[in-house]
Amino acid sequence: MFAMQYSHRLPAGHDMEAIRRRAAQRGPLWEHTEGLVFKAFVAQERGRHRAVGHLYASVYLWREPAAAASFLMGERFQNVIDSFGRPRVESWLPLDARAGAARTERAAWLRRSERALDADADRAAVFAAQAREPEAGVVATSSALDLAAWRIVRFTLLTDAPDAGDGDAIYEVLHLAQPGLETLP
């Protein structure tokens, strides 16, 4: 598997309804994408859930890394570049991914949590701890290793607005394309 996110900071006066329309228009085009578990079209609005500004982002979990490479090197990603400029793409090595009990419900929120992996951490124990049952209200969750910064990054798709922990980023899910969600345990 392969996980990634890219984000676009938007001006304070940017029309967020235009972003919602874009996600509603483009989201369904991803419903049959080969090698994709899910793509979350997400946004943050200044002043909501501790967001400091407007942001539009895409969060992906790919079953097949080759499918991610094909996307990034192909016409679909060129459309992103043409619309917003070439973004920095964060990427991670997935450690675990699970569908939650709410897998058939609409994901309205995404929580991104990060924590440092100390140099003296028991990495085997940390790895084992990633395979845990999702809490109530979870559509899906995945955890991944940031190999450059030695951090654990967890993405949780939720039906209800979550409480943000210290350092958590909360995003509104504008559309969730989920062609491979049923393949998760």
Side-chain angles (χ1 to χ4, degrees):
M1 286 204 281
F2 183 75
M4 64 185 224
Q5 176 180 348
Y6 52 85
S7 303
H8 315 285
R9 290 262 171 228
L10 303 171
H14 194 86
D15 179 8
M16 293 304 287
E17 287 307 313
I19 294 297
R20 285 182 174 82
R21 286 190 300 273
R22 178 185 175 90
Q25 176 189 31
R26 295 186 181 247
L29 302 175
W30 288 85
E31 291 298 342
H32 302 288
T33 301
E34 284 291 317
L36 181 66
V37 176
F38 69 76
K39 175 183 180 177
F41 294 77
V42 298
Q44 291 180 322
E45 289 189 60
R46 183 178 176 187
R48 293 184 66 202
H49 297 284
R50 297 189 324 220
V52 296
H54 291 341
L55 180 132
Y56 177 49
S58 295
V59 177
Y60 300 79
L61 181 62
W62 297 90
R63 178 150 309 282
E64 303 298 331
S70 178
F71 162 65
L72 289 168
M73 300 306 285
E75 182 180 326
R76 282 180 135 176
F77 193 65
Q78 187 61 47
N79 290 333
V80 173
I81 294 169
D82 292 346
S83 297
F84 297 101
R86 188 174 70 179
R88 178 177 159 264
V89 179
E90 297 177 273
S91 60
W92 306 278
L93 178 64
L95 301 175
D96 189 67
R98 296 176 182 273
R103 70 180 70 205
T104 60
E105 296 180 42
R106 181 186 174 280
W109 301 95
L110 182 137
R111 178 178 58 220
R112 176 179 165 168
S113 306
E114 299 181 21
R115 73 176 182 91
L117 184 58
D118 295 329
D120 60 350
D122 180 344
R123 291 182 315 283
V126 170
F127 180 56
Q130 301 311 304
R132 63 179 190 239
E133 286 302 311
E135 65 265 22
V138 171
V139 174
T141 186
S142 65
S143 63
L145 177 61
D146 179 336
L147 295 166
W150 287 99
R151 295 176 301 156
I152 302 293
V153 181
R154 179 174 287 279
F155 293 97
T156 307
L157 290 159
L158 300 148
T159 57
D160 297 317
D163 293 327
D166 289 339
D168 288 356
I170 306 299
Y171 303 86
E172 178 185 356
V173 175
L174 307 178
H175 184 86
L176 179 64
Q178 47 189 328
L181 191 66
E182 78 282 350
T183 66
L184 295 180

